[in-house]
Amino acid sequence: METSQDDRVGPSSEHRKLAHGLMHKTKASYVAALILIGSLATASFFLLSSVISANIQKTALIELGSRQQLLSQRILLTATEAYTAEAQWLRTQARQNLTATLAAFLANEKLLRDGSPDPQSPLYRLALSEEATKLFDEAPGQIDASTRILAHTVNSFLDMLPTSVSAPMPDDAVTHFSALRLYVAEKVRREYETLTRLFSSEAAEKGAAVEKIHLTVFVLTLLLLLAEAILIFRPLVRRVVSCTSELLKARDQMNFAANHDALTGLYNRAFLNDYMETALATAKRKGEMMAVIHLDLDHFKTINDTMGHAAGDAVLIETAMRLVTTVRDSDVCVRLGGDEFTVILNDVGSEADAVDVAERIVAGLKQPLEFAGTSLKPSASAGIALYQGGNGTVGDLIVNADLALYLAKAEGRGGYQLFATTLRDKFEEKANLERDLREAIASQAFAVHYQPQVSLQGGKVIGVEALVRWEMAGRNVSPGEFLPVAEKAGLMPALGRIVFAKAIATGAEWHRAGIDFGRLSLNVSAQELREADFAGHLLDLLKQEGLPTRLVALEIVETVMLDDENTGIGLTLKRLRKAGIRLELDDFGTGYASLAHISANEVDRLKIDRRFVRDIDKNPANTKIVKAIIELARGLGISIVAEGAETDVELSWLHDLGCPAVQGYGIAFPMPSTQAEAWLETHSTGAQRTEAIHVA
């Protein structure tokens, strides 16, 4: 049978049509998927762009609000510097700084309210929310009104502040300064803190919108990718490649993180331990000189406490950058942790070369840096240790650099020292003192002396301060010599409990004998207050000896007040005050960071530091400071005592300034318990005039 042409070509033509149809469908599916993905990506791009743009504006507002908080505190700081300046140039500089800071504050306030005319600025066409506008105009915020009050208070203070530091401080200037310090600046800071929290909340809401959009886009994209995977294999291959690339990147990041510091990008301590062994062996084999420079930033904790950890991180990052740019590519920079750094100089050439590098590093780290509109002035101390073909170990080299650093800090910070064998002698001397101190603690070989505190209004005894004394091998070891060693070695809690036990036993004995000694003041360190059982131990000891809590006071320094927010010290102090123990702030006037804690709810008495009392009749600045502290304490309802009064002239000046009580050699030296008891029995009536109360 003859086959027609149509029969011959029919089936193959259908197959071709089917193949072409499938191809067209595949292409159509591919194009449709691309169109859908493109449409989805375009829509999500514009949606996310609008939300992100709004979020960028919120971020700028948050940063500006935080900057306003810092500027309000800087206004207070510069006003304090102008108020307490002892030199003419200091007051002039402080006035200029205060004026500039206020101008920056007002400019920022206008920017927060009205936005920026610059189209490139994130605050261009700013539209505040209704809640934010209320904070500017309506109670309880009224930022506009508070800003005007702040500007008026600062300008009035500047107008009334004498240009000359020798001129007397007008009462109106004192009034405006007190208002600025005690209310105005703090109110402005709190209001901007509230505004910043509002901006953060609004940013969080925007972030939630971004997350929702992102989730929706993710789900739709996943569905489209699933459809493409069924029809086309290429997207799957690309996905596999992408995942493989991410895994390789993660592996590289893990390897990097194992040997590098996360904040600064420098090598870390783990890398140093491995590297030093190899570097030392190489230097010994080649006969090269190697140097280790150990660095420690000066007063870094103060930057963290006053400016915040963000400022501290900025200083650490800048320090790392300056180190890397100062040394050669062949040298190694390491961040050990905290504010400690180490630089390894390979094949350094000579001792002079190592010293030259250390000089350049220290000088470079002293250059100011800007953070949040504030100029920070960091500095560092450095210790240098050298190795050249000797038999020393890595441990020896590190210890030698550490000893040199210790000497650099002892010499006044901001410099460097080269290791010498005499440093090791000093280290051994310190180690011996620490060993003797541990033995003395084990045998409780400490005595307690007592120094009276008396009222300037007739000589009545208001208290005695318990002071630790140590006699070792016939030599009286100064507290200034052994207390720092005890603190660094972590021995203060053990030493303090010995002193507490002896002092409280003596105080209880006097109480039972009817001897009026006012209050027994006990010095306590931050290390002791961090002990979990400190409060319980002290209260149990008082109960055991029979000494009422109302007759006991704890003396702390201002740095303890700074630590209480992060260490739980504040809870311990509150528990002890609730039990009836008084709290006294020692060495008051040597810092400003704890002024926020000075209230009758926090402390019962301030102790004016002896450096302001010494030669008060010859130093007008000290007179002003003491007078200001007395007025501050009187205004806050806190009692006060001046330390270090040694002469009749100083006592007379303190009396005329209105100081209620004093303590010092002009009244009585610290005495053993038996002598102190006799002294108290002699002066317990309070009938004698203070000028006649002396102990030779």
Side-chain angles (χ1 to χ4, degrees), residues 120-181:
Q120 302 300 322
S121 171
L123 298 181
Y124 180 65
R125 293 182 178 177
L126 174 66
L128 294 177
S129 65
E130 182 179 353
E131 290 80 5
T133 304
K134 287 182 179 179
L135 288 179
F136 277 91
D137 301 329
E138 300 178 10
Q142 294 183 311
I143 293 177
D144 281 347
S146 297
T147 300
R148 290 194 298 271
I149 294 172
L150 176 65
H152 172 74
T153 304
V154 172
N155 289 327
S156 300
F157 170 71
L158 286 172
D159 292 341
M160 298 171 184
L161 182 69
T163 304
S164 172
V165 294
S166 60
M169 185 67 66
D171 292 340
D172 289 342
V174 174
T175 300
H176 284 92
F177 174 72
S178 299
L180 178 65
R181 180 179 57 185

Side-chain angles (χ1 to χ4, degrees), residues 118-350:
D118 182 9
Q120 302 300 322
S121 171
L123 298 181
Y124 180 65
R125 293 182 178 177
L126 174 66
L128 294 177
S129 65
E130 182 179 353
E131 290 80 5
T133 304
K134 287 182 179 179
L135 288 179
F136 277 91
D137 301 329
E138 300 178 10
Q142 294 183 311
I143 293 177
D144 281 347
S146 297
T147 300
R148 290 194 298 271
I149 294 172
L150 176 65
H152 172 74
T153 304
V154 172
N155 289 327
S156 300
F157 170 71
L158 286 172
D159 292 341
M160 298 171 184
L161 182 69
T163 304
S164 172
V165 294
S166 60
M169 185 67 66
D171 292 340
D172 289 342
V174 174
T175 300
H176 284 92
F177 174 72
S178 299
L180 178 65
R181 180 179 57 185
L182 298 177
Y183 173 72
V184 176
E186 182 62 21
K187 185 174 187 297
V188 170
R189 185 192 67 78
R190 289 198 302 268
E191 289 172 354
Y192 272 101
E193 183 178 359
T194 302
L195 183 63
T196 304
R197 284 200 300 268
L198 175 61
F199 290 152
S200 298
S201 176
E202 293 174 350
E205 292 177 2
K206 291 291 184 182
V210 171
E211 183 177 358
K212 185 176 180 180
I213 294 173
H214 182 269
L215 180 61
T216 303
V217 171
F218 173 77
V219 172
L220 293 177
T221 303
L222 191 62
L223 292 175
L224 287 173
L225 287 175
L226 181 60
E228 274 194 284
I230 297 173
L231 300 174
I232 303 171
F233 187 69
R234 184 179 298 175
L236 179 60
V237 174
R238 291 178 177 176
R239 184 63 178 168
V240 171
V241 172
S242 175
C243 291
T244 303
S245 177
E246 290 178 1
L247 288 173
L248 293 174
K249 183 179 179 181
R251 183 198 62 184
D252 294 339
Q253 290 175 343
M254 291 177 63
N255 291 335
F256 182 87
N259 292 309
H260 291 78
D261 175 59
L263 178 64
T264 64
L266 297 181
Y267 289 112
N268 58 18
R269 186 186 294 272
F271 171 84
L272 179 66
N273 294 335
D274 295 334
Y275 176 80
M276 281 294 292
E277 292 288 351
T278 303
L280 201 66
T282 301
K284 184 175 183 179
R285 186 180 69 254
K286 294 183 177 181
E288 298 173 346
M289 177 179 289
M290 186 173 72
V292 174
I293 303 177
H294 193 27
L295 298 156
D296 187 273
L297 298 182
D298 300 325
H299 308 298
F300 180 72
K301 184 177 183 298
T302 301
I303 295 178
N304 269 336
D305 290 338
T306 57
M307 299 290 294
H309 289 285
D313 289 347
V315 171
L316 293 173
I317 293 171
E318 182 65 22
T319 297
M321 294 177 59
R322 294 179 183 182
L323 285 177
V324 171
T325 56
T326 302
V327 301
R328 303 167 300 179
D329 292 340
S330 59
D331 299 325
V332 176
C333 299
V334 180
R335 183 191 177 200
L336 298 178
D339 60 342
E340 293 184 80
F341 297 83
T342 292
V343 177
I344 311 299
L345 304 180
N346 297 301
D347 190 15
V348 71
S350 66

Side-chain angles (χ1 to χ4, degrees), residues 517-540:
F517 58 87
R519 289 202 299 263
L520 176 65
S521 295
L522 303 169
N523 290 281
V524 60
S525 66
Q527 282 186 12
E528 295 171 79
L529 290 171
R530 292 190 191 103
E531 294 285 306
D533 64 337
F534 175 81
H537 173 79
L538 177 58
L539 295 175
D540 290 343

Side-chain angles (χ1 to χ4, degrees), residues 445-453 463-471 476-477 479 482 498-504 506-507 510 519-523 555 607 663 665 668-677 679-680 695:
F446 296 94
V448 180
H449 287 196
Y450 304 88
Q451 187 174 32
Q453 302 162 342
V464 292
E465 180 179 0
L467 301 167
V468 63
R469 295 293 184 264
W470 181 26
E471 181 178 341
N476 289 321
V477 185
F482 70 82
I498 295 173
V499 175
F500 278 23
K502 293 186 177 183
I504 290 173
T506 299
W510 290 345
R519 289 202 299 263
L520 176 65
S521 295
L522 303 169
N523 290 281
E555 291 192 15
K607 298 190 74 176
Q663 172 184 349
Y665 293 167
F669 288 92
M671 300 169 282
S673 59
T674 53
Q675 294 182 24
E677 181 177 338
W679 193 96
L680 290 171
V695 173

